[in-house]
Amino acid sequence: MSPARRTTLDALLELGGRRTVAELAAALGQHPNTVREHLDALVRAGLTERTLRHSAGRGRPAALYRATLAATPAGPEYAVLAEVLISALARAVPDRRARAAQALAAGRDWGRAIRERELIDRPRLAITRVPAEAPRSVTPGDPAALRDSVTRLGELLDRAGFDCRTTAEPGGGYTQRLRRCPVLDLAREHPDIVCTSHLGMARELLAHDGVAPERVTLEAFAEPGACLLRIAPPAADDD
């Protein structure tokens, strides 16, 4: 990879999520045509992927680029480590319910670590910064606050390799389709550990924004090629 393409890929990883050519060109201070050329070369190399933004308006939909798992620092060594640790937990805690409880707690710890290290995007709207250990003050019935929280979580999951697609439901809730799993084989073998830890992480990140944990559920392998993370709207008596 040339230095210019390496710089383009690094910028895409830094921005996270799916980005347009214009966004990357602005971040790099380069002409969009130059950036598009590098991105298309990275697509051919399997380091980025290109999708189209669906729009109800006229005109051609914008192309969106994001880094693939092959471009991230994680490699097969980490997959082996995850397999060893998960297998060790399965042996150490033979009771399935107890295992799931430990995995849920570990997921919550994972979510706290992500938040404290600021690995999750700050909200796009201006808010007052609060200490990492204190949850943000969010009105439970505020649709905009819930939308921003779910958006941040979706972008994090997307960067982590879950190929997350978020859908707003008619009742005010959200469904996030996780169409790829970075540790799919482990999830199939130990869903009580892997999938439950993912649920714990999502609950912790959303709880920091005022979303009650019981409103967040995960249906593993609910659809062909997708797990469903559901975020229910607040109950009427929460308003």
Side-chain angles (χ1 to χ4, degrees):
M1 192 168 18
S2 68
R5 289 176 186 170
R6 176 76 254 181
T7 300
T8 302
L9 181 58
D10 287 343
L12 188 58
L13 287 166
E14 178 68 22
L15 290 173
R18 295 176 173 83
R19 300 294 174 175
T20 63
V21 170
E23 288 176 314
L24 279 166
L28 292 166
Q30 297 180 6
H31 193 280
N33 288 343
T34 301
V35 174
R36 184 181 292 107
E37 179 182 343
H38 292 322
L39 286 170
D40 288 340
L42 292 168
V43 169
R44 291 191 295 271
L47 297 173
T48 65
E49 65 180 17
R50 180 179 182 272
T51 57
L52 296 178
R53 173 184 287 162
H54 297 290
S55 173
R58 295 183 177 181
R60 297 178 59 185
L64 299 173
Y65 294 84
R66 72 162 189 170
T68 64
L69 285 177
T72 62
E77 294 84 2
Y78 288 94
V80 172
L81 176 60
E83 182 176 5
V84 169
L85 293 175
I86 290 169
S87 299
L89 177 59
R91 290 194 303 271
V93 186
D95 182 75
R96 191 179 184 87
R97 287 190 178 182
R99 245 187 352 246
Q102 292 217 14
L104 188 65
R108 297 294 296 264
D109 290 342
W110 181 15
R112 279 190 289 273
I114 288 172
R115 191 183 67 243
E116 290 166 2
R117 289 164 175 77
E118 296 186 340
L119 298 179
I120 187 168
D121 287 349
R122 291 190 180 96
R124 284 175 166 71
L125 302 178
I127 64 169
T128 303
R129 184 174 174 81
V130 297
E133 66 274 7
R136 298 183 181 97
S137 178
V138 176
T139 304
D142 183 357
L146 178 61
R147 180 199 62 220
D148 291 341
S149 300
V150 171
T151 297
R152 284 192 295 273
L153 176 61
E155 290 178 350
L156 171 75
L157 292 170
D158 210 33
R159 290 200 309 273
F162 287 92
D163 193 12
C164 178
R165 302 297 174 90
T166 302
T167 302
E169 302 296 346
Y174 292 86
T175 297
Q176 294 187 319
R177 282 174 172 78
L178 311 181
R179 308 194 310 171
R180 181 187 298 156
C181 179
V183 286
L184 179 59
D185 291 341
L186 288 172
R188 291 189 184 280
E189 186 175 357
H190 299 290
D192 53 328
I193 299 176
V194 177
C195 303
T196 306
S197 67
H198 292 158
L199 173 61
M201 179 264 286
R203 282 182 171 178
E204 178 64 27
L205 293 174
L206 291 172
H208 190 64
D209 286 341
V211 180
E214 60 269 16
R215 288 169 52 194
V216 186
T217 57
L218 177 63
E219 300 174 34
F221 309 109
E223 295 179 352
C227 298
L228 301 182
L229 183 67
R230 298 190 187 276
I231 301 95
D237 55 6
D238 289 340
D239 296 342

